[in-house]
Amino acid sequence: MTVLVFGGNGQVGTELRRALAPLGAVVFTTRSGQLDGQACEVADFDRPRSLDAVLERVRPTVVINAAAYTAVDAAEGDADAAWRANCEAPAQIAAWCAQHGVPLVHYSTDYVFDGSGERPYAEGDATAPLGVYGQSKRAGEEAIIGSGAPYLIFRTAWVYASHGRNFLRTMLRLGAEREQLRVVADQIGTPTPAALIADVTVQVLQSDALQSGIWHLTANGQTSWNGFAEEIFAQAHAAGLIARVPQLEAISTADYPTPARRPAWSVLDNRRLQQDFGIVLPDWQQGLRRVMAELVAARQV
């Protein structure tokens, strides 16, 4: 097995570097051609047609696309770049995979839904993205499905890790600087560690049940951003990562306006993934404990 991973320096890509190591030859790409100070393959998602060159050079037996334009608010004013990265580039990769019969693993998002639901979204529920980011990601899904390539699309949500830019690290930084924080409490979803996404991807690739389709890959349970922040600070304080817990004020989305509209309800039904591949997914609080343990270990090094 030769695995080609697009987006080796993102949150999920970084975890894939760990999780994929036992599988054999793994080749990573970044836009700069650098990964932790070492040279790697170049893949510029702002130039989708250039991606065939790396695919031809590596000739992978599996492709994983962990690259995307994820700046949700910036996408509203930079739609062309978001569409190139989230739709045109995956379409280009999928066309190559279709031609060569190579499976493509692709990550998508809860933002393909409008957030007006009241139960967890199933894979077959109607999509209705609210903004450029979600629209471009849904178009990427459609391009992959229509390409004829064997594909596995994993929709995930509220991704975070002990590294990179994410809600967890932002909360820990702001909590150290301020005594009080205002956090949105009327958006509901499931915090999902990048490590879980990477580990499940490898479990699926090692299974005998590979088939094309869309699956929802999140931790179990649900909370608000404010509830997530409360749990972050409670666990961080218990682990000795912070000396005090800041006071949290629950606010509404209207109190914190952003250029892009967010889905108010982002809970994804992940039962199909668990049933199809025999995978047991952890509760989101359990997933957070694993990431907190990584932060504690990193501090002790």
Side-chain angles (χ1 to χ4, degrees), residues 4 6-7 29 43-55 63-69 80-97 104-106 136-137 139-141 143-144 147:
L4 175 61
F6 290 99
T29 78
D44 186 355
F45 271 45
D46 208 36
R47 296 187 300 120
R49 292 188 179 182
S50 70
L51 301 177
D52 278 356
V54 66
L55 288 159
V63 176
I64 301 177
N65 178 30
Y69 188 112
D80 288 347
W83 277 81
R84 283 193 295 270
N86 293 341
C87 177
E88 295 173 26
Q92 192 77 21
I93 295 166
W96 187 94
C97 289
L104 170 60
V105 177
H106 177 78
S136 63
K137 290 295 288 184
E141 291 182 359
I144 291 168
S147 70

Side-chain angles (χ1 to χ4, degrees), residues 143-157:
I144 291 168
I145 293 166
S147 70
Y151 67 89
L152 298 95
I153 295 174
F154 296 126
R155 289 180 183 144
T156 190

Side-chain angles (χ1 to χ4, degrees), residues 108-111 119-121 155-160 167 187-194 196-197 216-229 232 263-270 274 281-288:
S108 192
T109 173
D110 56 310
Y111 276 66
R119 58 165 177 77
Y121 282 107
R155 289 180 183 144
T156 190
W158 293 28
V159 180
Y160 69 99
F167 184 80
Q187 294 174 24
I188 308 299
T190 306
T192 302
L196 175 65
I197 298 169
H216 289 169
L217 198 177
T218 65
N220 283 324
Q222 63 193 61
T223 189
S224 67
W225 289 113
N226 187 71
F228 188 20
I232 287 170
W265 175 261
S266 282
V267 183
L268 302 180
D269 187 336
N270 57 25
Q274 298 186 82
L281 295 168
D283 291 335
W284 69 266
Q285 298 97 325
Q286 181 182 347
L288 178 59

